[in-house]
Amino acid sequence: MSRLSRRRFFSLTGGAGALFAAGLAGPRLFGSAATSGELLTSKVPLPAPFQVPLPIPAVLAPIARDADADRYEIVQRQTTVEILPGLRTPIWGYQGTFPGPTIESRSGRTAIVRHRNELPVPTVVHLHGGRTPSESDGYTTDLVLPAGGTHTTHSHGGHTGMQDPHARVTQGMRDYVYPLQQHASTLWYHDHRMDFTGPAVYRGLAGFHLIRDTEEDALPLPHSERELPLMITDRAFAEDGSMHYPSVDRSLTTVHGVEDSYIEGVLGDVILVNGAPWPVAEVSATRHRLRVLNASNARRYDLALDPPPPGGQAFTQIGSDQGLLDTSRVHDHLPIAPAERYDLVVDFGRYPVGSEVTLINRLGTGSTAQVMRFRVARRDKEDSHIPDRLSEIEPLDRAQATVTRDFSFRGGRLGDRHGWTIGGRPYAPSRIDARPRLGDVEIWRFVVDLHHPIHLHLVNFRVLSRGGRAPGPYDAGRKDTVDLRPGEAVEVITRFDGYRGRYMFHCHNLEHEDMGMMANFETI
C-alpha cells in the first residue's frame, strides 16, 4: 500500500477535481450526496404504514450450559413468512425467521453456536463486532456447504476465479466459538460468503447478538420491556411477494454481483423494522432504550422524531458500535450507515399520553421517509436515569502508534465489469494487505470516492480525525464501522489485540463488498 503524507492525504478531500486527479472517481461520483445506491421499486401495492405491531425477535435458549460456555444450535433454512399483509414471502432465515433469533451472552462467557446449513448454497457466519479467533470469525471463504451435499468443492463462483488454499470448508454444519472477551455491546450476526453476501442478507440472514456485563448491569438504564432492539432494513417486493433483488445469477451459485444499474448499491422502497413494514410500538411515558442497527445493504438513514420533544434533543446516545460511551451525548437527529449501531435513550415522558411519535428518515422520500411509530399509551413509574459516567474507554493517541497505513476506497474494474477496489485492487483471498503485530497500536487512514461505510473485523477503533479536523459528533466511542461521505478522509486508531490470524476489512455497502471492495490483514 502506497504511503501518503498526512497533508497529501487530506488534500484528496478537496472536491471532485482532486478526486479525479488522484484517480479516485467512482462510477457515479456526482450522484446524490444523501446515499449511494439505486432504488428498486416494488411490483405490489405497498401497505399503509403504522398498521402492524413491532415484533421483537425471540431470544434463543441454549441447548446446553456448563461452567464456562453456553451452546446453541441454529438451522439456516428456507421458509415463507408474511411480511407485507396478505402476501407470502420466501426467505432464508436463521431458525426460519427474519430477523433470526437474538442471542444474549455474558461478557467473558464463551458462546458456541452450531450452524446447520439447509440452504441450497454455501454460507458463512460472521459475528459483526465480535472479538473472535480467526477460525470462527466468518472469513469469507470459510464455507459451510449445504447439508444435502449439493456442493462438494471449495469453488463457489465469484470474481476471483480461484480457490483459496487456506479456506476452512465444512459440510453441513460448523461450530462457531465466541469467547466474548469484550464489553457489553450490540453485535449482530449475518452471512459473509464471498461475492454473495448482499443477496443472502437481503433474503433474511441477519440477527442480533447482545453482550451484557456487570458494568452495564450496575447502571440505572431502561431495561426489560423498555429495551427495544430495532433492526432497520429496506426491501423491494416482486409481484409474487418475493423479495426483489437484481442478482445477475438468481441462483447465487455462479456469477456474482448485481445488474449494472445497481452496482452503486441496492435501495428498497419498503422500510422494515425487525422484519415488519413501518410498525408501531406502544410505549409508556417513560425512558426507553433503543438498540438501533442499520442492517440495510446500502441505504443510509438520518433518524429523527416527529414531532420532536419539547426543547429538542430527541436522542440521548449512550453507546456506539461496541458498547457504552464514556459519557452520554445528545442529538436532534442521527445519521446511521449500513452496519452501524447506536444505543439510544428516548424519554417518551416528554410527550403527553396519547401522542403518536414517528421515527422519520430525513434522507428518505415517499415511502422511505418514515421508519416506524411509537404510541405513548399510558403513564408508568419511571425507574431509570442516565448517569454522568457510563464506561471507561482506553485512551489511544498518535504517540502510541507504531505504523500508519493508507487505504483508498474507489470504483474500479473487475475484468470487463464495473466494480470496487481498495488500493486500486479488487479482493483476492490469498493476498494480505497489512500485517499488524499483536498488541501494537496503528493508525489507519481512509480516503474514498463515494459513500463507503468501512468495517474492520476483530478490533474496535476510535475515530482520530475527519476531513483533517476533529472527529464528528457521531464518531464517539468504540467503533467497528465508520462512514465516509464522498471525497472524505478519516483516520482511525486501534490496538490489534485479541488473536493472531487472518481477518478482513471492507466496505459494508454489501453490493460494494460483493463487487471487490474487501481486503485482508493478518495479526502476527
Side-chain angles (χ1 to χ4, degrees):
M1 184 61 58
S2 63
R3 291 289 187 267
L4 303 173
S5 71
R6 191 160 182 258
R7 178 178 297 176
R8 171 61 179 153
F9 175 76
F10 288 120
S11 76
L12 295 180
T13 66
L19 287 170
F20 277 113
L24 300 179
R28 294 183 58 198
L29 177 61
F30 295 107
S32 168
T35 194
S36 294
E38 190 70 23
L39 182 67
L40 266 176
T41 302
S42 293
K43 305 301 183 182
V44 295
L46 302 185
F50 319 129
Q51 302 300 306
V52 298
L54 173 73
I56 302 298
V59 175
L60 187 66
I63 61 167
R65 306 188 71 180
D66 58 31
D68 303 311
D70 301 319
R71 294 181 176 271
Y72 300 88
E73 287 187 354
I74 291 178
V75 178
Q76 306 166 8
R77 59 186 175 89
Q78 301 180 90
T79 188
T80 60
V81 298
E82 184 176 286
I83 296 176
L84 300 184
L87 287 177
R88 302 298 295 180
T89 296
I91 67 163
W92 290 357
Y94 296 118
Q95 297 294 79
T97 66
F98 169 55
T102 297
I103 299 175
E104 292 196 7
S105 296
R106 300 294 302 179
S107 174
R109 183 172 174 82
T110 298
I112 303 171
V113 187
R114 172 167 292 180
H115 279 266
R116 177 175 172 83
N117 179 11
E118 295 184 358
L119 296 169
V121 300
T123 60
V124 175
V125 181
H126 171 53
L127 179 58
H128 185 117
R131 190 169 180 259
T132 304
S134 62
E135 59 268 21
S136 289
D137 186 58
Y139 190 79
T140 195
T141 56
D142 287 350
L143 305 176
V144 180
L145 304 180
T150 56
H151 287 257
T152 57
T153 70
H154 296 198
S155 178
H156 64 292
H159 71 264
T160 60
M162 67 181 75
Q163 297 181 4
D164 177 7
H166 304 293
R168 305 175 181 95
V169 178
T170 59
Q171 186 84 49
M173 67 180 64
R174 168 172 287 143
D175 287 351
Y176 290 89
V177 180
Y178 305 124
L180 302 178
Q181 299 289 337
Q182 58 191 110
H183 294 273
S185 51
T186 303
L187 309 184
W188 63 302
Y189 62 102
H190 61 81
D191 191 72
H192 207 268
R193 174 188 168 209
M194 187 177 77
D195 302 334
F196 297 96
T197 295
V201 173
Y202 198 90
R203 293 188 189 192
L205 291 178
F208 281 106
H209 192 141
L210 308 181
I211 304 176
R212 303 188 186 276
D213 65 13
T214 54
E215 178 187 53
E216 184 184 270
D217 291 346
L219 299 176
L221 299 173
H223 57 90
S224 302
E225 72 276 2
R226 297 179 188 174
E227 179 183 316
L228 301 177
L230 303 178
M231 179 186 290
I232 304 174
T233 59
D234 62 331
R235 299 290 188 267
F237 292 84
E239 295 92 336
D240 60 0
S242 63
M243 292 184 187
H244 181 34
Y245 186 86
S247 292
V248 174
D249 169 22
R250 303 299 169 91
S251 72
L252 309 188
T253 57
T254 55
V255 182
H256 75 302
V258 290
E259 298 167 5
D260 285 349
S261 297
Y262 299 93
I263 290 291
E264 196 178 323
V266 175
L267 309 178
D269 60 355
V270 177
I271 304 300
L272 306 175
V273 184
N274 296 346
W278 304 286
V280 176
E282 286 199 351
V283 296
S284 58
T286 56
R287 296 184 188 93
H288 281 64
R289 180 179 184 178
L290 310 181
R291 294 179 179 261
V292 181
L293 159 65
N294 181 357
S296 301
N297 280 32
R299 182 178 293 279
R300 283 166 176 76
Y301 302 83
D302 190 356
L303 303 176
L305 295 180
D306 181 25
Q313 299 185 340
F315 303 120
T316 300
Q317 183 188 355
I318 60 171
S320 188
D321 295 339
Q322 289 202 28
L324 295 170
L325 304 181
D326 51 357
T327 187
S328 63
R329 276 80 165 164
V330 293
H331 307 290
D332 289 316
H333 64 99
L334 190 80
I336 182 168
E340 287 189 301
R341 287 92 68 207
Y342 287 98
D343 207 338
L344 308 172
V345 173
V346 172
D347 186 358
F348 291 107
R350 299 170 69 187
Y351 294 92
V353 171
S355 297
E356 294 196 337
V357 183
T358 304
L359 184 65
I360 64 171
N361 171 26
R362 304 194 329 162
L363 298 181
T365 59
S367 64
T368 65
Q370 297 173 316
V371 177
M372 65 173 292
R373 178 166 286 174
F374 300 95
R375 289 190 180 132
V376 185
R378 62 194 177 278
R379 299 189 186 280
D380 208 343
K381 180 181 178 181
E382 180 60 79
D383 60 359
S384 71
H385 71 270
I386 302 171
D388 293 335
R389 297 294 298 178
L390 295 167
S391 182
E392 296 296 325
I393 296 180
E394 177 192 10
L396 295 175
D397 60 45
R398 294 184 186 278
Q400 295 172 266
T402 59
V403 175
T404 297
R405 305 182 193 270
D406 304 294
F407 300 97
S408 62
F409 290 68
R410 64 179 186 262
R413 303 293 299 183
L414 277 72
D416 60 353
R417 300 179 64 188
H418 287 294
W420 302 94
T421 67
I422 299 177
R425 296 188 289 183
Y427 179 65
S430 59
R431 188 183 72 241
I432 302 297
D433 291 87
R435 285 188 169 86
R437 298 190 65 84
L438 190 68
D440 278 2
V441 174
E442 294 193 1
I443 294 171
W444 285 23
R445 307 192 302 202
F446 309 130
V447 63
V448 301
D449 54 359
L450 300 180
H451 279 289
H452 295 293
I454 298 169
H455 170 51
L456 272 66
H457 288 214
L458 178 65
V459 297
N460 65 73
F461 54 76
R462 320 295 187 273
V463 178
L464 264 183
S465 69
R466 184 177 286 274
R469 301 178 179 87
Y474 310 103
D475 289 330
R478 304 177 186 98
K479 299 280 290 173
D480 58 48
T481 305
V482 60
D483 189 37
L484 277 73
R485 296 180 292 268
E488 195 168 42
V490 162
E491 293 181 302
V492 304
I493 187 169
T494 186
R495 184 184 301 279
F496 286 88
D497 60 0
Y499 305 97
R500 294 178 176 86
R502 183 173 65 160
Y503 293 91
M504 306 185 67
F505 63 103
H506 56 85
C507 178
H508 220 284
N509 177 318
L510 298 186
E511 284 69 54
H512 296 185
E513 174 181 335
D514 284 348
M515 295 297 290
M517 194 167 265
M518 300 193 296
N520 300 314
F521 70 89
E522 182 181 15
T523 50
I524 60 174

